[in-house]
Amino acid sequence: MAKIAMLGSGFIGRFYADSLQGQRSRDKIVSIYSRREETAKKFAQDYKCDHWTTDMEEAINHPEVDMVCISLPNNLHEAAVLACCKAGKSVMCTKPLGRNAEEAKRMMDAVEQAGIFNGYLEDLVYTPKFLKALQSVQNGALGRILWAKSRETHPGPHSEWFWDKEQAGGGCILDLGCHCVEIGRSFIGKDIRPLEVMCWADTQVKPIDAEDHAIGLVKYDNGAIGQFEVSWTFRGGLDLRDEVMGSEGTIWLNSFLRTGFDMFTTGKGADYVAEKAESNTGWLFPVGDELNELGYNHMFADMFNAVEAGREPRETFYDGYVVNAILDAAYKSARSKRWEPVELPVWRGKEDVGKEKDLNSYNDQYYLIKEETTHYGASKLILKDKKTGQIIEKEV
């Protein structure tokens, strides 16, 4: 049983608490820190937590606490992590790890020097659909991964600090792109080095200093391309979609907006429908189990099982640092309008992998480009001569 100090009592802290005290059942929040006394008291009451405080270090140093869960605004992550290192307490931190890679690296260095357990709470790489898709990719069902695209769009976050560029560190690129980049990394291979990023970003709708819409490409050392599409301007709810294309197959995932649960209501008796839903009337798309579909249950199970087994979780502060470095390059590219290199002074994956080549040989003379059956019933081959490079068409 893990005894947890929750730092932050807002939207994400409550999502985490619902999961922490849900699937495994044996873990317990024993201390809650909030910057406001009234929200700390309310959280403690709702989750039957005996200790609440407005002093962060008091929560971390509570004698019963052995694990700290950080669900605070981005600008408070580093101070919380350093306090955990000082106390020698295991720590899990919500995404993004830092407001930039420099901040993330300081946190990564601190937990590693302190020798404490560290987990990066990236829930969308723990969703049931993602885990099943990743298993298929790792088993070779799609062959060599060529392209991985991830999209997260919605009308915007819940709390005021997200909209403040200084507190948050950025806009939708940092808030949503961290999910999408780690999804792409996972499909392509987290040991494959990200090389450079091309990104477009703009503030299209919201009266804020940060970007509210962005699209980016991440080039990897093995020739694969990761793509992210993020927006705080999308109308219609929370849209989570992933696509993976390989030399032998394709995967399409729709994780939240359309999941096979459709409902129409005039609004009588309707209340909460799903995260980021914009209406409770008309045709609605509820989600059967949000905690599970968003990956929280599997994420925390992995975290606590890793602690008990003495191993690293699937997502560590190092992963958060790599993600921040990729997003730093995205911000640079959005300003320069050029491909920008990913600066990773600490890299623990493969080096100089190079673009893979798996040319499909038809026979000693030809490579096979394509094989198909036409609408008139003939079987046709497109072949390339290995010596001359000539491309021919052949019916068989």
Side-chain angles (χ1 to χ4, degrees):
M1 171 180 171
K3 295 183 178 180
I4 305 145
M6 180 67 71
L7 308 185
S9 59
F11 176 84
I12 193 62
R14 285 177 169 268
F15 249 129
Y16 285 172
D18 288 339
S19 181
L20 284 166
Q21 298 186 169
Q23 189 183 52
R24 276 180 37 121
S25 299
R26 62 183 181 270
D27 305 307
K28 174 69 176 171
I29 298 169
V30 297
S31 180
I32 170 64
Y33 157 75
S34 179
R35 290 168 293 166
R36 295 186 294 272
E37 182 175 318
E38 62 273 19
T39 56
K41 285 182 177 179
K42 185 65 168 64
F43 186 102
Q45 177 185 338
D46 291 345
Y47 293 97
K48 298 179 174 57
C49 179
D50 293 334
H51 181 261
W52 61 267
T53 180
T54 56
D55 183 320
M56 184 169 67
E57 291 200 14
E58 181 183 334
I60 293 170
N61 287 290
H62 189 284
E64 288 189 64
V65 168
D66 52 36
M67 171 73 79
V68 178
C69 183
I70 300 172
S71 57
L72 295 168
N74 297 347
N75 62 314
L76 301 178
H77 290 184
E78 186 173 10
V81 168
L82 294 180
C84 292
C85 292
K86 182 180 177 182
K89 300 289 179 77
S90 297
V91 60
M92 307 178 292
C93 185
T94 192
K95 63 82 195 172
L97 182 58
R99 289 174 292 179
N100 52 59
E102 183 180 356
E103 196 170 78
K105 184 178 181 299
R106 289 198 300 266
M107 287 184 266
M108 177 186 74
D109 289 342
V111 295
E112 291 180 354
Q113 289 168 12
I116 61 174
F117 175 91
N118 58 95
Y120 177 51
L121 299 180
E122 176 43 80
D123 59 288
L124 293 188
V125 297
Y126 286 97
T127 70
K129 288 180 180 178
F130 173 85
L131 292 174
K132 183 71 172 180
L134 183 63
Q135 183 181 41
S136 295
V137 167
Q138 291 176 339
N139 288 342
L142 270 60
R144 179 165 58 94
I145 301 304
L146 309 172
W147 173 48
K149 181 176 81 168
S150 183
R151 170 186 173 95
E152 180 172 3
T153 62
H154 57 60
H158 302 278
S159 301
E160 82 289 346
W161 65 264
F162 281 98
W163 305 94
D164 183 318
K165 190 174 180 179
E166 175 59 29
Q167 291 185 73
C172 63
I173 291 177
L174 194 60
D175 179 38
L176 309 181
C178 58
H179 289 305
C180 299
V181 163
E182 190 65 348
I183 287 169
R185 278 188 73 221
S186 298
F187 283 129
I188 291 168
K190 291 203 294 184
D191 59 346
I192 304 299
R193 190 180 188 116
L195 299 179
E196 52 185 350
V197 180
M198 170 65 80
C199 181
W200 166 88
D202 199 2
T203 309
Q204 294 187 311
V205 175
K206 309 295 185 182
I208 58 173
D209 295 330
E211 75 289 347
D212 63 13
H213 198 150
I215 299 171
L217 297 174
V218 184
K219 189 184 297 183
Y220 285 84
D221 191 25
N222 64 351
I225 286 287
Q227 180 176 338
F228 63 83
E229 301 173 358
V230 293
S231 182
W232 285 346
T233 67
F234 176 78
R235 305 308 301 268
L238 174 58
D239 186 12
L240 300 175
R241 279 182 280 166
D242 304 321
E243 298 179 31
V244 194
M245 183 180 76
S247 58
E248 302 296 330
T250 302
I251 289 175
W252 294 342
L253 299 176
N254 190 327
S255 295
F256 205 79
L257 190 60
R258 298 304 297 269
T259 60
F261 185 170
D262 298 355
M263 176 176 73
F264 179 87
T265 175
T266 60
K268 183 178 180 180
D271 191 7
Y272 180 83
V273 177
E275 183 185 348
K276 306 293 191 308
E278 292 199 87
S279 173
N280 61 2
T281 63
W283 278 107
L284 307 174
F285 312 107
V287 178
D289 184 346
E290 287 189 54
L291 295 176
N292 202 55
E293 292 304 315
L294 288 173
Y296 295 120
N297 289 338
H298 293 85
M299 177 178 71
F300 283 117
D302 176 51
M303 293 292 159
F304 293 119
N305 289 339
V307 170
E308 292 171 2
R311 61 168 174 83
E312 286 190 340
R314 288 167 49 88
E315 296 288 319
T316 68
F317 277 23
Y318 171 74
D319 294 299
Y321 155 71
V322 174
V323 169
N324 268 126
I326 293 171
L327 296 180
D328 280 2
Y331 278 112
K332 289 179 184 176
S333 175
R335 293 190 295 268
S336 71
K337 314 300 181 188
R338 299 190 301 264
W339 285 95
E340 292 287 351
V342 178
E343 302 291 342
L344 278 170
V346 178
W347 171 247
R348 297 169 181 169
K350 297 176 182 177
E351 294 284 2
D352 301 320
V353 173
K355 185 177 179 180
E356 297 178 30
K357 294 183 179 180
D358 52 357
L359 301 180
N360 191 0
S361 184
Y362 177 68
N363 57 25
D364 291 341
Q365 184 177 0
Y366 293 107
Y367 292 117
L368 175 64
I369 295 177
K370 186 181 179 185
E371 182 177 9
E372 66 178 357
T373 300
T374 67
H375 66 283
Y376 51 88
S379 294
K380 187 171 67 174
L381 302 174
I382 308 294
L383 304 172
K384 179 180 179 179
D385 192 288
K386 294 179 179 179
K387 292 182 178 179
T388 67
Q390 180 187 13
I391 297 177
I392 68 167
E393 185 176 308
K394 179 181 178 181
E395 286 194 8
V396 294

